[in-house]
Amino acid sequence: MADLESRSQKLRALIAEFIQGRLAAKLEKLVADDPKYALLTAQYQYDAWLESAARRVGQIQSVTHTLKAIHPDAKGSNLYVSPGTLKAHSLLGSHDLAGGFQADVVGNAAALDVYKFLKLTDEHGNTLLELALADDAAFKAALSKDAAKAEQWLAAFASLLGSDGALASHPQAKQIYWLTGEDPCNDLHYQVLAPLYASSLAHEVFTRINQHRFGEEAKAAREARRNGHFHETGYCDYPNLAVQKLGGTKPQNISQLNSERGGNNYLLASLPPSWDTSLLTPPLKTDSVFKRFGRRPAVRQTVKALQGLLKAEPPKNLRTRETRFSLTSAVVDELLQFGAEFWELNPGWSQHPDCRLVEEEIFWLDPYRAKSDLDFAERRQQADWPQQIRERFANWLNAQLHKAGLPVGDPEFAQWQKEVKLDDDWRHWLKHLQQELDQLQKELSHD
């Protein structure tokens, strides 16, 4: 009981200090005989301000995903979704905030002082909102000596996370028709999505990028580099970083976190690869292109990440499997792009006397030679070269992991083959290539 009383008194002092601080800011430019001075003093009395706050808290809502960032005139639903309840997957998303996140607030900007009040923390680091949600007895006692009034105010503050009514979209909101079936010509194979802005995630991204760009540690690392000195930590650069302004001159009309960022939201560069075919040369005087493939910067970086993951001996759980599959998929994506680049060369380049590639790699990298070389077309049609390429890829990847001291063998060889075969991009690529070659065969038959 003594502990409850002690905590209640500390919370009451914390609340009183907050209210007095806001009153002092309001009275700063007023003289004592100004009629507004007395009015504000009355409004910022302990009970009066809490009663007003409990009434005004209904004008705002704590959220993680906002609609006004999509369109400032949209009036549909916003959502509060705890990241810990979201399904984990290998792509960056709000689920990655499960270890900690900052909720946003939308609604009447004039009521945002109530949110600031609920963000106050007690001696244990708990926010007043968390105490309200936990029905904390000490916080309830600190609100008012009138038990019924304290109960009512506590319930009002805890309602901040609640929805403002039935879920609804709005004509100004975006809608996406997402193909969920196999037939893009069938309307029934689409699901309509109404995307919201992942405000908490965007704020975390903004905060981290700012730390990487302007943090003291990053500044010291950059200075060390300029002076040619060693530094314990590296630093991150974000080339072609774009800034999207939301809310114009009134970012608070979008959300509280958007206001704290001054309306600034970072957009990472998402650009298609730029190929310089003038630098692309046929792979001559070599029996395999996998050595050249392994020298690609993106491949080296991804394989290094895969080596690091496996050497760390992570727990054998779903997250580890998804992370590993994500990395091998990234290598497969590079393999597809690498192979497609050779298609830019003149068909038949593999007929050069210095071409020593094994035949399955020629089938893979010079497919349009089939248009003018019927014998080649027939041999390619009969060969199971996709399976042979998968095996060569698995051998190559095993060799990269073996170089890092990892004990890899037949099980890993089988697994890499399997993952390549399961990769959607690989299957789609093979299907697309086969369709193109079938079309070529038809054209040849008509010549």
Side-chain angles (χ1 to χ4, degrees):
M1 181 62 73
D3 180 59
L4 177 66
E5 180 63 24
S6 173
R7 284 188 58 232
S8 177
Q9 289 179 357
K10 290 178 181 176
L11 287 170
R12 193 173 179 84
L14 178 69
I15 297 170
E17 182 182 5
F18 173 80
I19 296 174
Q20 286 304 310
R22 296 195 66 80
L23 174 62
K26 296 278 185 182
L27 298 180
E28 193 175 22
K29 296 181 181 178
L30 297 178
V31 294
D33 58 351
D34 190 319
K36 196 174 180 181
Y37 191 102
L39 179 62
L40 286 171
T41 301
Q43 289 176 346
Y44 280 80
Q45 293 302 303
Y46 192 91
D47 285 355
W49 190 88
L50 284 176
E51 186 169 15
S52 168
R55 184 178 64 254
R56 292 183 294 122
V57 73
Q59 300 173 16
I60 57 176
Q61 181 190 359
S62 182
V63 299
T64 55
H65 295 71
T66 65
L67 181 58
K68 281 193 176 295
I70 302 292
H71 194 291
D73 294 331
K75 302 183 186 303
S77 297
N78 303 280
L79 291 179
Y80 181 94
V81 182
S82 176
T85 65
L86 297 173
K87 182 180 178 182
H89 53 77
S90 58
L91 302 179
L92 177 65
S94 296
H95 63 278
D96 288 306
L97 301 177
F101 69 102
Q102 192 167 344
D104 204 349
V105 176
V106 295
N108 186 357
L112 288 177
D113 59 323
V114 182
Y115 181 63
K116 292 177 181 175
F117 161 71
L118 292 173
K119 284 179 67 178
L120 295 175
T121 55
D122 67 4
E123 56 188 331
H124 303 294
N126 301 309
T127 67
L128 297 188
L129 177 59
E130 290 171 336
L131 296 179
L133 292 170
D135 195 24
D136 186 81
F139 182 40
K140 191 186 302 184
L143 288 175
S144 175
K145 294 179 180 178
D146 183 332
K149 189 177 289 185
E151 186 77 35
Q152 179 185 353
W153 291 353
L154 192 79
F157 293 138
S159 70
L160 183 67
L161 299 187
S163 171
D164 54 357
L167 296 179
S169 187
H170 188 268
Q172 300 288 11
K174 291 186 184 300
Q175 293 185 342
I176 298 174
Y177 285 87
W178 188 264
L179 182 65
T180 57
E182 296 292 332
D183 184 3
C185 296
N186 187 339
D187 290 350
L188 298 178
H189 285 197
Y190 286 89
Q191 176 73 44
V192 179
L193 303 180
L196 297 178
Y197 190 74
S199 183
S200 293
L201 177 63
H203 192 73
E204 179 66 21
V205 170
F206 182 87
T207 302
R208 290 201 187 190
I209 289 179
N210 270 3
Q211 288 174 349
H212 293 164
R213 296 178 70 192
F214 311 119
E216 294 302 321
E217 194 170 75
K219 289 180 182 176
R222 287 192 177 89
E223 185 175 357
R225 182 179 182 277
R226 282 195 296 271
N227 296 330
H229 297 154
F230 169 78
H231 195 272
E232 293 181 350
T233 66
Y235 60 87
C236 299
D237 279 331
Y238 298 88
N240 300 316
L241 185 69
V243 178
Q244 181 185 28
K245 297 281 287 188
L246 297 178
T249 58
K250 296 181 179 178
Q252 68 275 15
N253 287 347
I254 301 299
S255 73
Q256 171 63 20
L257 292 183
N258 187 65
S259 178
E260 292 178 12
R261 297 191 299 270
N264 296 310
N265 294 263
Y266 287 141
L267 298 177
L268 299 176
S270 179
L271 304 172
S274 178
W275 292 353
D276 187 349
T277 55
S278 65
L279 300 177
L280 183 63
T281 57
L284 305 177
K285 299 181 180 180
T286 181
D287 60 357
S288 176
V289 292
F290 277 94
K291 288 182 181 176
R292 183 190 286 197
F293 172 65
R295 291 195 291 269
R296 291 167 73 92
V299 175
R300 288 206 310 268
Q301 184 178 6
T302 309
V303 169
K304 186 177 180 181
L306 181 61
Q307 291 170 338
L309 173 71
L310 298 179
K311 290 179 76 172
E313 298 183 355
K316 296 179 180 180
N317 54 29
L318 177 63
R319 190 176 187 86
T320 298
R321 286 196 297 276
E322 288 182 339
T323 302
R324 191 199 61 195
F325 187 73
S326 172
L327 291 171
T328 55
S329 292
V331 180
V332 172
D333 287 345
E334 280 294 323
L335 185 68
L336 293 177
Q337 180 173 317
F338 173 75
E341 289 172 6
F342 290 99
W343 299 3
E344 301 294 321
L345 298 173
N346 292 328
W349 57 262
S350 58
Q351 292 174 298
H352 192 282
D354 288 337
C355 179
R356 303 170 189 167
L357 292 178
V358 293
E359 195 162 48
E360 54 266 29
E361 292 194 14
I362 295 176
F363 290 155
W364 168 36
L365 302 173
D366 191 15
Y368 298 113
R369 175 178 162 185
K371 188 173 182 179
S372 58
D373 187 340
L374 295 182
D375 179 60
F376 174 84
E378 184 175 348
R379 285 187 284 116
R380 187 179 186 282
Q381 183 70 26
Q382 294 176 353
D384 188 9
W385 62 268
Q387 172 60 25
Q388 292 168 323
I389 294 298
R390 284 197 293 270
E391 291 176 1
R392 296 181 72 81
F393 170 77
N395 274 326
W396 170 82
L397 186 54
N398 255 7
Q400 307 311 305
L401 299 180
H402 185 72
K403 288 178 185 175
L406 290 162
V408 291
D410 290 344
E412 289 76 18
F413 174 84
Q415 184 62 30
W416 307 142
Q417 281 194 83
K418 182 180 176 182
E419 291 188 7
V420 174
K421 193 172 183 178
L422 290 175
D423 187 273
D424 286 342
D425 288 340
W426 174 267
R427 287 187 295 170
H428 291 159
W429 176 77
L430 283 178
K431 183 179 179 181
H432 173 68
L433 179 59
Q434 191 57 49
Q435 288 173 342
E436 282 204 24
L437 293 175
D438 287 346
Q439 182 62 31
L440 279 175
Q441 287 297 104
K442 288 181 181 178
E443 293 174 4
L444 289 172
S445 65
H446 294 310
D447 287 342

